[in-house]
Amino acid sequence: MRSIATINQKGGVGKTTTTVNLSAALARMGQRVCIIDLDPQAHASLHLGVTPSDSELSTYGVLTADVTLAQARVPVAENLWVVPAHLDLAAAELELAGEVGREIILRDKLAEETEEFDFLILDCPPSLGVLTLNALTAAKEVFLPLQPHFLALHGLSKLLRTLELVAKRLNPKLRLTGIVYCMYESGTRLAAEVSHDVQDFFDSLNASDSVWAGARSFDAKIRRNIRLAEAPSFGQSIFDYAPGSHGAEDYQALAIEVMGSEAAGMRDASVVTGAVARPASTLID
Ligand code: ADP
Ligand code: MG
């Protein structure tokens, strides 16, 4: 099973859109996928049409009470499940403040899991608090959505330092697999410059044995597409809402690339390219 945390302490960069639509694309390819919504805003849950009425049966109950992931999990489509978030999760940070081992609660709950999944995708809030730490402790991989924006690199060093600390103290298996460019305006100078700067930044890190060793940007760039912004209000993934859109095409291409990219395999770009057997557009019905 691959477990992936979608993180960036900035809001509005495309974490939730990527979590939901990448998961939906993988599920349509026959992978069994479970999303765990760790953001009190519950955007991923709402995007999939799920609103837990009982706060216990959500990630809040999982982190603060005796609720198992299986009890809180809801099926949303073929091969796709979500453990939804509830607004009460906002209080979890405070409620867990005095708790010993509060960063590893989710990892312990996952250890009790009996259901088999191919992918576990964890949608994180825009902060590096206890909820994100639970995701980083439970996951083996990190996907970092970035908006090619002149401030894209701002805050990246802090984020990488957090990953490094978590890897050192709590989860030695943690690796940054890759950067997903979201709201990409292809053909603009800014997008090209920012992706170039990000690549330079990673090349400049002496990466050999660190948490970001082998990290790279995915070739599939998610273009700015209004359909992606509209889909959440309908409680549908892009594949149900607008299957012929650029958004569906881009997330399908990302899923194909992710399937071909075991964390270690990402180090060899040819492995990734080799996985694309057909042009993404032919896979969309
Ligand atoms: P985050 O989870 O990082 O806060 P979201 O995924 O919620 O970010 O995205 C922020 C906003 O931008 C949302 O309204 C979302 O619908 C919109 N959005 C995300 N990706 C795209 C895209 N590629 N094109 C257009 N709008 C997008
Ligand atoms: Mg979000």
Side-chain angles (χ1 to χ4, degrees), residues 20 23-24 27 31-35 48 74-82 237:
V20 168
S23 299
Q31 301 294 302
R32 290 168 60 82
V33 185
C34 180
I35 294 173
L48 292 162
V74 182
V76 285
E78 197 179 352
N79 294 324
L80 185 61
W81 289 261
V82 64
S237 81

Side-chain angles (χ1 to χ4, degrees), residues 164 174-175 202-215 267:
E164 197 179 24
L174 190 68
R175 290 289 174 269
F202 278 98
D203 290 347
S204 72
L205 299 167
N206 187 358
S208 56
D209 195 26
S210 66
V211 63
W212 50 80
R267 280 154 216 184

Side-chain angles (χ1 to χ4, degrees), residues 103-177:
E103 298 90 357
I104 58 167
I105 300 172
L106 186 60
R107 180 165 77 190
D108 286 351
K109 293 283 168 119
L110 277 171
E112 297 168 1
E113 261 290 358
T114 48
E115 192 78 25
E116 299 249 337
F117 294 102
D118 299 302
F119 284 88
L120 197 66
I121 306 198
L122 305 123
D123 195 43
C124 294
S127 72
L128 296 174
V130 75
L131 299 170
T132 298
L133 284 177
N134 264 279
L136 292 177
T137 308
K140 293 200 188 78
E141 298 179 56
V142 171
F143 282 13
L144 178 63
L146 272 191
Q147 207 183 332
H149 185 262
F150 77 106
L151 284 174
L153 281 168
H154 186 79
L156 204 54
S157 313
K158 180 170 165 46
L159 192 123
L160 293 178
R161 266 200 311 280
T162 304
L163 294 185
E164 197 179 24
L165 274 179
V166 172
K168 198 163 122 198
R169 297 188 181 154
L170 296 162
N171 181 9
K173 293 199 174 125
L174 190 68
R175 290 289 174 269
L176 174 61
T177 301

Side-chain angles (χ1 to χ4, degrees), residues 36-277:
I36 301 186
D37 190 351
L38 288 167
D39 187 346
Q41 298 176 96
H43 287 168
S45 316
L46 294 169
H47 198 325
L48 292 162
V50 177
T51 326
S53 48
D54 180 351
S55 72
E56 290 298 301
L57 292 179
S58 72
T59 43
Y60 173 75
V62 170
L63 292 175
T64 63
D66 258 349
V67 178
T68 63
L69 287 162
Q71 284 166 332
R73 186 164 46 232
V74 182
V76 285
E78 197 179 352
N79 294 324
L80 185 61
W81 289 261
V82 64
V83 180
H86 186 278
L87 201 56
D88 282 358
L89 188 59
E93 194 107 18
L94 265 180
E95 285 177 35
L96 294 172
E99 189 102 2
V100 176
R102 60 186 173 277
E103 298 90 357
I104 58 167
I105 300 172
L106 186 60
R107 180 165 77 190
D108 286 351
K109 293 283 168 119
L110 277 171
E112 297 168 1
E113 261 290 358
T114 48
E115 192 78 25
E116 299 249 337
F117 294 102
D118 299 302
F119 284 88
L120 197 66
I121 306 198
L122 305 123
D123 195 43
C124 294
S127 72
L128 296 174
V130 75
L131 299 170
T132 298
L133 284 177
N134 264 279
L136 292 177
T137 308
K140 293 200 188 78
E141 298 179 56
V142 171
F143 282 13
L144 178 63
L146 272 191
Q147 207 183 332
H149 185 262
F150 77 106
L151 284 174
L153 281 168
H154 186 79
L156 204 54
S157 313
K158 180 170 165 46
L159 192 123
L160 293 178
R161 266 200 311 280
T162 304
L163 294 185
E164 197 179 24
L165 274 179
V166 172
K168 198 163 122 198
R169 297 188 181 154
L170 296 162
N171 181 9
K173 293 199 174 125
L174 190 68
R175 290 289 174 269
L176 174 61
T177 301
I179 291 163
V180 183
Y181 284 107
C182 296
M183 295 174 244
Y184 197 82
E185 318 255 13
S186 46
T188 65
R189 232 178 74 199
L190 181 64
E193 276 172 15
V194 171
S195 19
H196 194 261
D197 286 354
V198 169
Q199 196 53 53
D200 277 356
F201 177 79
F202 278 98
D203 290 347
S204 72
L205 299 167
N206 187 358
S208 56
D209 195 26
S210 66
V211 63
W212 50 80
R216 60 182 292 276
S217 322
F218 285 99
D219 291 335
K221 311 271 193 289
I222 313 300
R223 287 166 285 184
R224 188 179 285 283
N225 178 233
I226 188 69
R227 299 283 177 223
L228 286 168
E230 291 167 355
S233 355
F234 294 86
Q236 291 178 333
S237 81
I238 194 66
F239 300 99
D240 292 321
Y241 178 67
S245 63
H246 278 170
E249 193 179 315
D250 293 346
Y251 276 109
Q252 176 76 54
L254 179 65
I256 293 171
E257 206 176 332
V258 167
M259 287 285 289
S261 66
E262 283 300 322
M266 288 291 287
R267 280 154 216 184
D268 177 1
S270 63
V271 173
V272 176
T273 333
V276 185

